[in-house]
Amino acid sequence: SPGCQLGVWATTNGGNSWSFLSGSAGGALRTCSNGQGDYPQNWYDQAIAVDPNNADRVFVSTYEVWFATRTGTSFNNLTCAYSYSGGMGPVHSDQHALAFAPGSSAILLIGNDGGVHGTTNANTTTSSTDPTWFNMDEGFSTVEFYSGDISANFATSTAPYANGGAQD
């Protein structure tokens, strides 16, 4: 549907030709237990990281973080945020950034609407094995602002005020 991930393509020759990775289209990406497909907001959530020591290992984010091999046909949902009843799982949804620590296949950081999460065992990830995630937000505030406004005559008012709309 509009806004969902069209898919992931891989190259082995510097971009001269590309191959579609089966299982990467939005409708094929499912949450861990509730069966929902990709959410139509990939204008907002999307990143990719390739293992710096093994180009066949690919991490893709949409609303979740997914793992696949460059020659694989399935994507493993590594974060499962929307599969937890009553709230978000151990990793917040709506992923925006993926980055490996320089030269490391094990340390992967993800940035999302809820802050920053990381793992020190991304190198053990497979099509059926998930990494262990930890939250890195301890001790600092992470607030996502959607909008804000100021009162009329803000510069000259005797009681100016500002407000904001936040989430997560």
Side-chain angles (χ1 to χ4, degrees):
S1 64
C4 285
Q5 179 167 292
L6 296 177
V8 177
W9 284 259
T11 183
T12 58
N13 57 17
N16 289 324
S17 62
W18 294 84
S19 300
F20 175 75
L21 295 183
S22 298
S24 68
L29 297 175
R30 302 287 173 187
T31 59
C32 294
S33 65
N34 66 13
Q36 293 177 335
D38 189 20
Y39 288 5
Q41 62 182 45
N42 280 326
W43 56 271
Y44 177 72
D45 306 329
Q46 209 154 57
I48 190 164
V50 177
D51 183 325
N53 299 304
N54 183 347
D56 287 332
R57 296 172 47 79
V58 181
F59 295 78
V60 174
S61 70
T62 62
Y63 62 99
E64 304 271 22
V65 176
W66 308 85
F67 169 80
T69 60
R70 186 168 44 172
T71 56
T73 59
S74 66
F75 277 61
N76 179 13
N77 185 336
L78 304 179
T79 50
C80 302
Y82 285 115
S83 297
Y84 286 81
S85 61
M88 296 300 176
V91 174
H92 198 285
S93 61
D94 298 340
Q95 309 303 319
H96 300 288
L98 297 169
F100 279 97
S104 175
S105 294
I107 302 172
L108 177 64
L109 306 176
I110 58 176
N112 53 50
D113 280 9
V116 181
H117 291 80
T119 182
T120 58
N121 65 340
N123 57 319
T124 65
T125 303
T126 68
S127 61
S128 60
T129 303
D130 299 344
T132 304
W133 298 103
F134 56 90
N135 187 313
M136 299 174 65
D137 297 339
E138 188 87 23
F140 65 95
S141 296
T142 58
V143 177
E144 177 183 359
F145 272 92
Y146 277 96
S147 62
D149 203 354
I150 58 175
S151 60
N153 303 314
F154 184 83
T156 59
S157 173
T158 58
Y161 64 89
N163 60 32
Q167 156 190 338
D168 304 337

